[in-house]
Amino acid sequence: MNRPDWNRKDVWRRRLQHLRQQVKSPPLVVEGRLSRMVGLTLEAVGCQAPVGGKCWVETAYRERIEAEVVGFAQEQLYLMPVGDVYGLEPGCRVIPSGKPSSARVGMGLLGRVLDGAGNPIDGKGPLVYETTRPLQGRPLNPLLRQPITEPLDVGIRAINALLTVGRGQRLGLFAGTGVGKSVLLGMMTRYTSADVVVVGLIGERGREVNDFVHHILGSAGLARAVVVATPADQPPLMRLHGAMTATAIAEHFRDQGMDVLLLMDSLTRYAQAQREIALAIDEPPATKGYPPSVFAKLPRLVERAGCGEAGTGSITAFYTVLAEGDDTNDPIADAARGILDGHIVLSRELAESGHYPAIDVERSISRVMADIVPASQLDAARRLKQIHALYQRNRDLITLGAYQAGSDPRIDRAIALEPKIAQFLQQGMDEAVSLADSVAALERLMAEA
């Protein structure tokens, strides 16, 4: 015998009410306990959180330490603390926050110096921001990106004329220690035509951070810039967050229609921080001690820069790559060359001879220059490089007096022009040269060739 229709309607009504209650009720947060600490890795049991989720660990002194989920195995969560681990003990409470890490963004950040968590460290009071943005960022459809069609003036004559940078281009600044990369970044920060500058100082010495902000950048450069600084003494997760926070801030300004210059020093320290985290959770090393996750994270960070979709601005990015022992073929440098739109190499030999900026124009290249400059500039830049390279190949013979004038007209011309080329490639720290003046000087110099 069939049941009445009213009974069926009552059953479905109760089911519908139950489903509505499940949707409205907030997710249940289950606290866990700290079971083990190995190095900088914390192991928690009894709670659940996704990879990248934020958790709070309560210390024995009732203070809370922020940590992020970096992995899991069966019932255990692997956490990496953001701050100091002082006061932790077995059995400490682990409380999932239910939210991913985010960065505060807005025009109020201009002129401020932040740490990797986005907190101000410049003593100028609380941070004024408009909204928050996820640290991980949103991947852009490559087919919807605007093409790179316009040059960006960076205020450096050698780069403007010979290695012209496009709005939305991503370049690597390959350099060893002590060859002037910080000074070059500071010059670009002060002299660029970009609307906003975002500087990420990742894994540098604390003294260098203070020196960069107060002496190299200066008050004029800081007025339209945001500096995110995570020195070398910070935990590896904080160094990762510093790079992602700087990128998220640059993305916000790009979405507002601005042209942003992102300077990150350095991409190598970012990779080393990820290596520390990966090795701590037992990821096997692959290439010279770098686990595979390092090479997976590099393009994810770099691809967030560049041109935005129609109606937005651009992020022109410079990533410094440290050449350990002046070897530009180490794994990180080799991987960076493959994912960037060009590279500028700083030479220790030039720096030691007093040639600043110490740009090795023979080993440097801008992959978009041919698409954004007129043919006359491209031809003049090519001829200057040929003349300069010819002189460098025969420099030993010329210096020793083994070369006789008149033996080769090309070498004679290179000898005559080399002092002017060297003067053209050098620039004072307090000297700004616009893009138009740089191209005009190049064409005048090549008119004598």
Side-chain angles (χ1 to χ4, degrees), residues 145-184:
R145 285 181 182 265
Q146 301 178 74
I148 300 175
T149 57
E150 299 179 1
L152 177 70
D153 187 357
V154 295
I156 311 298
R157 181 169 48 237
I159 297 178
N160 281 340
L162 305 177
L163 306 165
T164 308
V165 179
R167 294 181 184 270
Q169 187 177 359
R170 297 158 301 190
L171 293 102
L173 193 62
F174 292 72
T177 56
V179 295
K181 67 179 186 305
S182 297
V183 175
L184 185 61

Side-chain angles (χ1 to χ4, degrees), residues 100-111:
S101 299
S102 59
R104 291 171 286 182
V105 294
M107 296 299 295
L109 273 65
L110 294 179

Side-chain angles (χ1 to χ4, degrees), residues 2 10 21 45 102 169 235 249 262 293 301 337 369 399 440:
N2 295 330
D10 187 58
Q21 290 177 355
V45 294
S102 59
Q169 187 177 359
I249 294 172
L262 173 62
S293 63
L301 180 70
R337 272 194 298 266
M369 180 177 176
T399 304

Side-chain angles (χ1 to χ4, degrees), residues 18-34:
H18 178 67
L19 291 174
R20 287 175 177 173
Q21 290 177 355
Q22 287 183 331
V23 171
K24 292 182 179 179
S25 60
L28 182 63
V29 177
V30 180
E31 297 182 5
R33 296 290 174 179
L34 193 63

